[in-house]
Every structure is written in structure tokens, then in C-alpha cells.
Amino acid sequence: MSIWNGGEIELFGKNVHAYAYQVFRDSISYISQDIKLFRASIYENILYGNRNATMEEVIQAAKLSYADEFIQKLDQGYETVLNESGVSLSGGQLQRLAIARAFLKNAPVLLIDEATSALDPHSERQVTDAISLLSENRTVITVSHRLSTIEHADRIFVFDHQTLAEDGTYDELLQKHGAYYELHH
């Protein structure tokens, strides 16, 4: 079946088109593999998740995302100014800043796009732990080629060239011996 055959996307029981754009956007936190930073302090970069947050809330978000420890080790801590590409930080540190933004935003929907694709095993474990904590009591949509990042999902959709190949839980998909089973093995 093609993924574009119809239907609708609902958020909290209403078609997404029923929401004002800003309301819809405010309902979603997004963590991608390509983190965007601004030429600003770490504090200001995290604050981007919620411009009205206090310093204490920013620090709490950093702690929840496992970023506070590396931030505290920087010469200027939260006042360290980053450049746009974040070259002074590792991939795992960048991801943890993005997760801190999402904690601070506190949106009910979390969209994760290949958030662990380019990380070393240690960084991946920290990012995965932070995402797991962030995912509590939220609707989470994860796009991933790494099966380990989705095996605990309530429902998995397997796509093959823009076509929905199959869907189900991790165990159901393995029992089908279909596309997911092939990817898994």
C-alpha cells in the first residue's frame, strides 16, 4: 500500500488542519540528526526551546538531558558562546543540547529523526537514555534506520521505497518473517 493513499493525521482527536499553525507547531518538539545551533551562549541555545524559561529551568533541562556535566566543564559553562556549526562540541553533546531544548519546550509530541545515527557507542547510550526519559508521557514518532532505537516502540511501521511494507509491534513483526525480520537478521 502506498503511504499517500489517503486518511488523515490527528492530534488529540482533531485533524491537524483544525489547529492554527502556531498551536500545531508548539505541540511538537523535534530532535534531528543535524542539530542547528546559533552563535550564542549554550544557555541561549537551550533557551530556544522555551524563551520564557528561567535559568534554573534551563539547568534542569540540561541535567535531564545529561548535558549539564559537560557544560559545567567548559571554561564559561552555560555562558560559553557556540558558533553556528557547533564545531567545538561532539555529536553526542550537540544531541544532548537538542534534547535539553525539547525538555524545556515540554511539548506533548516528540518527533525524532535519526538522532543517534552518527554517534559513538558511549554517546549513543547517553542520548538514548535522555530520549527515553524525555519520551515518558508523550507521543513519540521516531524515524530510524537503527532498529535498536525503535524495538521498544508500541507500533513500528516499515517502509520500503515510499510504500508501507508492514506494521506491528517488535514481536509481531519478527513473527511475520517479512521486511522487518529481514532487516533485523
Side-chain angles (χ1 to χ4, degrees):
M1 123 170 82
S2 171
I3 61 173
W4 310 114
N5 276 348
E8 62 183 50
I9 298 173
E10 292 184 352
L11 182 64
F12 311 117
K14 290 172 51 179
N15 186 296
V16 295
H17 297 293
Y19 291 96
Y21 176 76
Q22 193 60 44
V23 171
F24 177 72
R25 186 178 174 132
D26 288 345
S27 298
I28 300 172
S29 290
Y30 176 60
I31 302 172
S32 75
Q33 66 182 352
D34 183 27
I35 305 304
K36 301 296 182 205
L37 296 177
F38 305 101
R39 180 173 283 288
S41 69
I42 287 177
Y43 166 76
E44 292 168 312
N45 270 280
I46 295 172
L47 192 63
Y48 185 72
N50 176 356
R51 302 304 263 167
N52 298 316
T54 65
M55 181 65 164
E56 291 77 24
E57 290 169 325
V58 168
I59 292 171
Q60 181 62 24
K63 287 179 179 179
L64 290 170
S65 67
Y66 302 98
D68 182 68
E69 184 177 338
F70 81 79
I71 294 170
Q72 293 292 348
K73 290 179 181 176
L74 298 171
D75 288 340
Q76 295 178 321
Y78 284 85
E79 295 307 317
T80 301
V81 175
L82 303 174
N83 63 23
E84 291 87 354
S85 61
V87 294
S88 60
L89 299 178
S90 71
Q93 290 169 330
L94 292 171
Q95 288 297 74
R96 284 176 280 171
L97 289 181
I99 294 166
R101 282 181 183 166
F103 268 115
L104 201 59
K105 185 171 183 178
N106 198 26
V109 178
L110 178 60
L111 175 58
I112 305 169
D113 184 9
E114 296 286 0
T116 62
S117 66
L119 302 180
D120 62 82
H122 176 70
S123 294
E124 180 180 0
R125 190 169 32 262
Q126 287 183 313
V127 167
T128 301
D129 289 347
I131 287 174
S132 179
L133 186 59
L134 177 61
S135 297
E136 291 178 8
N137 301 313
R138 293 180 210 289
T139 298
V140 181
I141 302 167
T142 303
V143 177
S144 181
H145 288 89
R146 286 191 183 185
L147 300 183
S148 63
T149 63
I150 59 170
E151 64 186 18
H152 298 294
D154 294 333
R155 191 164 180 195
I156 300 169
F157 296 89
V158 182
F159 290 90
D160 184 18
H161 297 93
Q162 296 186 351
T163 300
L164 178 61
E166 60 189 356
D167 70 281
T169 66
Y170 173 78
D171 291 332
E172 290 170 350
L173 292 174
L174 287 180
Q175 291 173 5
K176 288 182 182 180
H177 291 267
Y180 188 84
Y181 177 86
E182 292 298 321
L183 290 169
H184 187 268
H185 287 85

